[in-house]
Amino acid sequence: MADYTSEVMEVRPYLDMELLMSVSQESRVDGSTMDHMGQLWEKWTPHLSARKLKVGKIQYLAVWLDDVVEADVDSIWDESPSSAYLAGSLAQVMVMCAVNQLLPEVQDAGCAPAPKPTDGLVDALEAEGCPYNEQGTMLARKFAIITHYPFKGACEICYLQKDCPKGSGNQDSGSIVLPGYERGKE
């Protein structure tokens, strides 16, 4: 196993209703739904993990919600698929809001680029409780993000660029690459 360091990042994201509505593709949310989303947000906040990992010379930010949240969302599917979709969107927004709070540049760029899953990074995330899937291509947690820390750029440095509509030029990409962080300089 590769040597790495892990630092807990303190984060308490706020519930961004505009982002939730955008992610869930809802145009209106009634009061009882908002109350329920607020209750889930408070319930899930203790299950949010944020870590700054240093593997070799490279630092990463990993943010994820644990299996309690995954189980909650899965159980809601049995009651109401539309409520479950909204709850899943809420979990995604919680992770996104935490990343945006810790790395504001991600919000400005509109993307948290995925780093190449090196053996050391795969081992570190496994040890932290946020493993990659069996193919080692994406995180196994349903609600999780791994990106470079500090911010280095967006689509231009993303490992998933060739498979992403935004990164492959099929959508507008208003991001920049900071000097010294050009592709191939890691």
Side-chain angles (χ1 to χ4, degrees), residues 114-115 117 122 132-140 146 159-160 163:
V122 169
Y132 273 89
N133 63 8
E134 290 179 14
Q135 296 79 27
T137 56
M138 56 190 295
L139 297 175
I146 179 76
Y159 178 71
L160 303 173
D163 298 318

Side-chain angles (χ1 to χ4, degrees), residues 72-102:
D72 279 354
V73 173
D74 288 346
S75 71
I76 296 170
W77 278 103
D78 296 333
E79 300 166 21
S80 165
S82 61
S83 294
Y85 180 77
L86 190 56
S89 296
L90 180 72
Q92 292 173 17
V93 166
M94 181 176 274
V95 171
M96 292 167 63
C97 287
V99 171
N100 291 342
Q101 186 178 4
L102 295 168

